[in-house]
Amino acid sequence: MASQHLLLVIAICRLISTVGLPSEVLHLGVQGHLTIDSADVEAASLDFGGLIRTKPLAVLQPASVQDVVTLVLSSYGSNRGFTVSARGHGHSINGQAQTGHGVVIEMSRMKKENRLVTVGLLPTSNSKRHKEFYADVWGGELWIDVLKSTLEHGLAPKSWTDYLYLSVGGTLSNAGISGQAFNHGPQISNVHELDVVTGKGDLMTCSKVQNAELFHAVLGGLGQFGIITRARITLEPAPERVRWIRVLYSDFSTFTRDQEHLISLQDEPASNRFDYVEGFVIVEQGLTNNWRSSFFSPRNPVKVSSLGVTGSGVLYCLEITKNYNDASAKTVDQEVEALLKKLNFIPASVFTTDLPYVDFLDRVHSAELKLRAKGLWDVPHPWLNLFVPKSRIADFDAGVFKGILGNKTSGPILIYPMNKNKWDERSSAVTPDEDIFYLVALLRSALSSGDETQTLDYLSRQNQEILAFCDKAGIHVKQYLPHYTTQSEWEHHFGPKWDTFLKRKIEFDPKGILATGQRIFSPSYLSYRSSSSLSFHKPGEVIQL
């Protein structure tokens, strides 16, 4: 029996050695499951984007934070070396959580009993201050499970993403945005503390006052400085219900003026503002073409022609909500009416519904289930997410919505403004240099419907055309969930933050072990910068990743 076990170990060692993973990884003593099983490797080689497929050498399903520490320490101390990528729910678009030269950690695969959500009360020295609650959350926890756990205490996080089946560590590594961001800021502005495993294998607790450089680096840091294993998230009392309203516009300037008015109410009492402000663009005649339009009844589809709209045929939908409880239900009608009176939408276009708070937050998942049933979910998603400065959003509308896109799309196009003062400039996240900027998210799906305009090749070329238009027109957009292929493009993306970003990388992940799927640093570039006193490469030098 012992001889059979020895032969099995030798066979596995030979197999791993053949594919490039140091054999000492087998003897790490992790409590979780380190596997080279073909099904596990295949699952870790894919993501929601469906555009890039990269097989890792192995997959770790950790049992605890110590497993993460042990793996990274092994990589950092190995002569041969291997990379480590943390993967949450696999919702990246361009292979950002993949690696072909190392191990993928499936952060969301840890046993539930080892990743309980803990709710607590922040200490305060001022008795007059409102109580501030928090939740301590495992980095691989999905936001939907965070919500379910905190609701047991009558609480919920303040800031969300539109889709809740994303991991906490994943969204905090980007920013985490939705219609609440105008008021509460992105999710990275609602974090008190983090536990992070750096690229050196150090497990560090960090906050604005403790190891602050690491704290700000990791938030919006695209996984470059450490793996988030715990996040302390701000909570608030959870509302019970939501008044969900959509109104339509045919004039873009009126639409954006109203959106900007609504986000200017950010510091008003809750009764004098909406709780959520988003919007989307409709470039087709019907409004029932995708999950974003499921709010409108398919039995009574709204047509542009029925609203008396002429001209380009493009419509803009403002999407707003008002949270309330049974105790405030009597006043919600008056509060909504007072706010709507100051807006200039098409009068006949008001669509309203009331639903439980949880149902509103989880609305995209309901649509996902319908798309999965039709085989329309697991398709390539060539998404393009841009932050557009307020001063150029009208030019973007003219050139893209009314120009490049034509009159067809294969997915939602979101557009809504945010207040820059709700973002912490010390974080690694990058936004335009204006007080107000817009998210424009082209959330398209590539379909094999026989229509060329819905193919992956067509949509990918169109994304490049949009970026080229912005560049030529001098519209200084910033990509959200960025994807570039050269060092110079990344330097341009980070702009004034690049020097700090590079220094942080050298401090916290000097060997470039982490998140190589982002393609920000080539090993040769990072090695050169680690041994150089220069902040940037020579003028005109381009290092291909």
Side-chain angles (χ1 to χ4, degrees):
M1 195 68 179
S3 62
Q4 290 178 340
H5 177 73
L6 177 61
L7 289 174
L8 178 60
V9 171
I10 292 173
I12 294 176
C13 286
R14 285 177 176 172
L15 176 59
I16 293 181
S17 177
T18 299
V19 297
L21 192 64
S23 57
E24 62 263 26
V25 175
L26 282 179
H27 307 290
L28 289 178
V30 294
Q31 297 175 334
H33 185 47
L34 183 66
T35 174
I36 57 171
D37 180 80
S38 58
D40 293 321
V41 168
E42 180 67 18
S45 73
L46 303 170
D47 62 19
F48 179 71
L51 309 177
I52 295 176
R53 178 174 175 270
T54 307
K55 285 189 176 183
L57 303 180
V59 175
L60 173 64
Q61 298 163 3
S64 67
V65 64
Q66 189 55 48
D67 281 354
V68 179
V69 171
T70 300
L71 181 68
V72 178
L73 274 175
S74 176
S75 173
Y76 187 66
S78 172
N79 291 328
R80 291 178 57 192
F82 57 92
T83 58
V84 177
S85 287
R87 183 179 190 268
H89 195 53
H91 208 77
S92 54
I93 301 299
N94 292 287
Q96 287 92 336
Q98 299 172 13
T99 178
H101 306 286
V103 181
V104 167
I105 304 177
E106 293 278 12
M107 296 291 289
S108 298
R109 293 286 296 274
M110 194 167 80
K111 293 180 180 178
K112 272 193 173 293
E113 57 264 30
N114 293 342
R115 50 184 173 95
L116 297 176
V117 175
T118 304
V119 173
L121 181 64
L122 289 172
T124 176
S125 57
N126 187 347
S127 59
K128 294 182 180 181
R129 288 181 60 185
H130 294 294
K131 293 181 179 180
E132 291 188 79
F133 292 91
Y134 69 83
D136 277 334
V137 182
W138 167 248
E141 196 71 73
L142 300 186
W143 284 103
I144 181 64
D145 294 320
V146 175
L147 176 62
K148 291 176 181 178
S149 296
T150 58
L151 283 176
E152 294 177 2
H153 304 271
L155 302 167
K158 291 182 177 181
S159 189
W160 293 98
T161 60
D162 283 331
Y163 183 56
L164 302 188
Y165 287 75
L166 305 174
S167 70
V168 170
T171 64
L172 295 183
S173 294
N174 288 281
I177 54 176
S178 184
Q180 301 90 355
F182 83 94
N183 186 44
H184 294 299
Q187 290 181 315
I188 58 173
S189 293
N190 293 273
V191 180
H192 294 286
E193 189 176 272
L194 298 170
D195 282 347
V196 175
V197 179
T198 71
K200 297 177 182 179
D202 298 323
L203 176 60
M204 300 175 66
T205 297
C206 55
S207 66
K208 291 180 180 179
V209 296
Q210 178 184 7
N211 297 313
E213 191 70 18
L214 178 61
F215 181 75
H216 296 304
V218 168
L219 295 174
L222 306 177
Q224 294 303 299
F225 313 105
I227 297 171
I228 298 172
T229 57
R230 178 184 66 90
R232 179 163 287 182
I233 306 297
T234 303
L235 302 179
E236 66 177 355
E240 296 169 357
R241 296 190 63 78
V242 168
R243 173 72 52 84
W244 187 9
I245 305 157
R246 287 181 174 177
V247 295
L248 299 177
Y249 296 75
S250 59
D251 180 72
F252 185 71
S253 62
T254 305
F255 168 69
T256 55
R257 186 167 57 248
D258 279 0
Q259 281 194 321
E260 290 164 17
H261 162 69
L262 291 177
I263 72 166
S264 74
L265 306 176
Q266 55 180 305
D267 296 320
E268 291 289 322
S271 59
N272 296 338
R273 58 172 166 78
F274 285 111
D275 296 289
Y276 167 100
V277 177
E278 282 199 14
F280 58 95
V281 182
I282 305 158
V283 298
E284 295 186 68
Q285 293 294 302
L287 302 185
T288 56
N289 61 315
N290 56 58
W291 61 261
R292 198 71 191 181
S293 301
S294 60
F295 182 94
F296 303 102
S297 171
R299 289 173 295 180
N300 185 29
V302 180
K303 297 289 185 179
V304 175
S305 57
S306 70
L307 299 171
V309 177
T310 59
S312 68
V314 177
L315 280 179
Y316 309 93
C317 180
L318 172 63
E319 184 175 30
I320 43 186
T321 71
K322 189 75 168 171
N323 300 337
Y324 66 97
N325 301 316
D326 289 341
S328 58
K330 294 179 180 179
T331 62
V332 68
D333 288 340
Q334 295 93 320
E335 291 173 5
V336 167
E337 184 179 355
L339 287 164
L340 289 179
K341 278 184 177 179
K342 297 180 181 180
L343 305 181
N344 294 287
F345 49 84
I346 299 171
S349 70
V350 182
F351 301 86
T352 303
T353 188
D354 285 68
L355 69 170
Y357 182 61
V358 176
D359 291 355
F360 171 74
L361 291 180
D362 200 29
R363 62 200 179 282
V364 177
H365 182 60
S366 300
E368 174 192 347
L369 297 177
K370 296 176 183 178
L371 291 175
R372 284 189 180 278
K374 298 177 181 178
L376 298 177
W377 185 259
D378 294 320
V379 298
H381 296 95
W383 286 8
L384 179 64
N385 295 272
L386 302 173
F387 289 148
V388 183
K390 168 190 168 181
S391 65
R392 302 302 303 277
I393 193 65
D395 297 321
F396 190 94
D397 169 63
V400 178
F401 300 149
K402 296 188 178 81
I404 293 173
L405 294 183
N407 64 352
K408 285 192 175 182
T409 183
S410 61
I413 304 171
L414 307 189
I415 175 172
Y416 58 90
M418 286 174 275
N419 294 305
K420 191 178 180 74
N421 63 4
K422 296 296 184 178
W423 295 63
D424 191 330
E425 282 300 293
R426 293 170 294 180
S427 78
S428 294
V430 179
T431 60
D433 191 20
E434 292 191 8
D435 292 340
I436 295 174
F437 58 90
Y438 280 77
L439 171 75
V440 176
L442 291 91
L443 310 182
R444 281 96 69 80
S445 301
L447 307 174
S448 52
S449 60
D451 184 343
E452 182 192 1
T453 63
Q454 294 186 340
T455 63
L456 176 59
D457 184 57
Y458 181 91
L459 295 173
S460 298
R461 288 200 314 269
Q462 195 173 69
N463 285 344
Q464 293 305 311
E465 186 181 357
I466 291 169
L467 292 172
F469 163 77
C470 291
D471 185 55
K472 185 177 180 180
I475 303 175
H476 300 303
V477 300
K478 294 294 184 182
Q479 285 193 35
Y480 179 60
L481 312 178
H483 173 63
Y484 302 103
T485 57
T486 67
Q487 197 75 58
S488 58
E489 287 176 317
W490 280 110
E491 289 189 17
H492 179 73
H493 170 76
F494 284 104
K497 286 191 174 185
W498 173 254
D499 193 26
T500 300
F501 195 83
L502 175 58
K503 288 177 180 177
R504 287 170 169 174
K505 182 68 172 180
I506 292 171
E507 180 178 357
F508 298 116
D509 184 25
K511 291 188 176 182
I513 291 168
L514 303 176
T516 55
Q518 294 280 4
R519 297 174 177 81
I520 299 175
F521 297 101
S522 68
S524 59
Y525 179 91
L526 194 56
S527 176
Y528 172 62
R529 288 300 151 212
S530 296
S531 60
S532 171
S533 60
L534 301 176
S535 296
F536 295 97
H537 62 65
K538 297 175 183 178
E541 178 186 4
V542 176
I543 299 178
Q544 193 76 28
L545 303 185

